[in-house]
Amino acid sequence: MMLYIDALTTSTIAILLLFAGKALVSRFDLFKRYSIPEPVIGGIVCAAVVSGIYLLHGRKIEFDIGIRDTLLLYFFAAIGLNSDVRTIRSGGWALIILTALASLFILLQNLLAMTIASAFGLDPRAGLMVGSISLTGGIGTTLAWAPHFVETLGIANAAEIGTAGNMFGLIAACLIGGPVAGYLIRARNIPVSGASMLEIGTLHEPQRTLLDYYGALLALFWLNVTLLLGQSLTLAIKSSGLNLPDFVGCLLAGIILRGVTPHLTTRKRRLWDWPRMQRGVALISEISLGIFITMALMSLQLWALDGMVAFLAVALCLQITMAIAFMIFILFPCLGRDYEAAVMSAGFGGIGLGSTATAIANMSAVTRQYGAAPKAFIVVPLVCGFFIDLANAILVGIMI
């Protein structure tokens, strides 16, 4: 038997689950400690309930999630619009080196995952879902790629595999980042900064910001323009033979508009007023991502993971081991073997296994103990927030 839930009811349930996730994160420190995203909690709870109903009563529940993909495009369009070339330049050589090493790690992640998948008799491409898609890319990238794996490649449980990989990756990233940095500082006897801590935006409590009507309207207008330009770029990318998800076009479109529009707009304060619309872009982006992840996870068929536990366990254990070795023997020496390099190594746990929030949390833990590392807090968020998504999408597209 099938119970169909329409689009309006589905979106309403998704918002309710997002509220529930936020309430649980604010109440239980465990979720904060491991930087588990709020929409993941609500979505997984719903998926568990739906799976329980199916296993106990044989009744499937199907949600109408047609709006989901558009919400993801808004999120990546906002990332592009928020990418200021002047800020990117401030990262210097450390930014270039970390981006190159992170790209190399993506390649190693995927080769390892595909090898393990083959050893378990699976389609090698299924391994990508416990490679860079879920670990480096995060939950948003996982759910963005899942439809292609299911509909085009015929890997029916791709979303479930990727979601499981992302959840365990987030926990592992929190557990290894700080200890690895502490080991490097002690073992190499590295002089620490001892400087006062930086103000880092890692508060879990909602922050009150001023947002007026005109700023919100400007934000929505430019996000829509970004989506329109992104559609054209996506078609151009696909016509070249490179198979990338639609969000890549929106990401590139946002970067182009942010760099070009302020110089072309004659009445800047009317059509382009970034300080005024920035909060609107951030707000729309956060809401879109939260509802997207919640809606995507609501429809997961967790019972499809039956028989995949051994594969997931082996793949994730080897991925975590490789990440630790990469941080100690490759990343740290290439970044200069100093205190900043140790802090960035802690952040790399978030880049390679978790999320931007995990990377910042890891580095914050280290700097609270040993002192500020200003360069690390410029370079790592830039790599997490922009470069790694683009490199990941291109490499995964090629390897598929």
Side-chain angles (χ1 to χ4, degrees), residues 84 86-92 94-95 98-99 198 200 340 343-344 351 356 360 363 373-387:
D84 191 342
R86 291 171 298 179
T87 304
I88 293 173
R89 286 176 183 169
S90 66
L95 177 62
L98 186 58
T99 301
L198 299 174
I200 303 161
E340 291 274 6
V343 176
M344 282 188 271
I351 296 175
T356 303
I360 298 300
M363 294 193 299
K375 184 187 293 185
F377 282 94
I378 293 174
V379 172
V380 172
L382 283 172
V383 174
C384 286
F386 166 58
F387 289 104

Side-chain angles (χ1 to χ4, degrees), residues 164-333:
N166 176 256
M167 289 293 291
F168 286 104
L170 280 170
I171 295 172
C174 291
L175 293 177
I176 69 172
V180 166
Y183 162 77
L184 291 171
I185 291 170
R186 293 188 300 270
R188 306 296 195 275
N189 198 23
I190 298 171
V192 297
S193 73
S196 59
M197 279 73 74
L198 299 174
E199 292 293 331
I200 303 161
T202 56
L203 295 177
H204 291 266
E205 294 77 10
Q207 299 182 40
R208 298 181 182 275
T209 57
L210 298 176
L211 178 64
D212 61 20
Y213 171 85
Y214 195 76
L217 194 61
L218 273 178
L220 185 58
F221 170 74
W222 282 109
L223 284 169
N224 284 351
V225 171
T226 303
L227 261 63
L228 291 172
L229 177 59
Q231 290 175 353
S232 300
L233 291 177
T234 298
L235 290 175
I237 292 170
K238 290 185 176 179
S239 66
S240 69
L242 186 59
N243 188 16
L244 297 178
D246 293 346
F247 72 77
V248 177
C250 290
L251 181 65
L252 293 173
I255 296 166
I256 293 170
L257 288 174
R258 177 66 189 275
V260 172
T261 306
H263 303 290
L264 298 180
T265 306
T266 54
R267 303 181 71 180
K268 294 182 181 180
R269 291 298 177 182
R270 290 293 184 90
L271 292 178
W272 181 271
D273 188 348
W274 179 249
R276 193 171 184 180
M277 72 188 200
Q278 184 177 15
R279 290 168 178 156
V281 170
L283 183 62
I284 295 171
S285 169
E286 184 176 354
I287 292 174
S288 297
L289 182 65
I291 297 176
F292 164 80
I293 293 175
T294 305
M295 292 180 70
L297 294 179
M298 285 166 57
S299 57
L300 286 180
Q301 299 178 350
L302 297 180
W303 60 85
L305 286 173
D306 185 35
M308 303 293 294
V309 175
F311 162 66
L312 286 168
V314 172
L316 291 170
C317 285
L318 291 177
Q319 291 283 19
I320 293 166
T321 302
M322 183 176 71
I324 294 172
F326 191 88
M327 292 159 68
I328 294 174
F329 299 110
I330 297 178
L331 188 76
F332 177 69

Side-chain angles (χ1 to χ4, degrees), residues 3-46:
L3 175 61
Y4 175 78
I5 299 180
D6 63 78
L8 179 60
T9 306
T10 296
S11 59
T12 305
I13 293 172
I15 295 171
L16 183 62
L17 289 169
L18 190 52
F19 276 124
K22 288 181 177 295
L24 289 170
V25 168
S26 65
R27 183 167 183 176
F28 297 102
D29 290 336
L30 180 68
F31 295 131
K32 291 182 182 179
R33 187 180 310 134
Y34 293 113
S35 300
I36 304 298
E38 296 154 348
V40 169
I41 299 170
I44 288 294
V45 167
C46 182

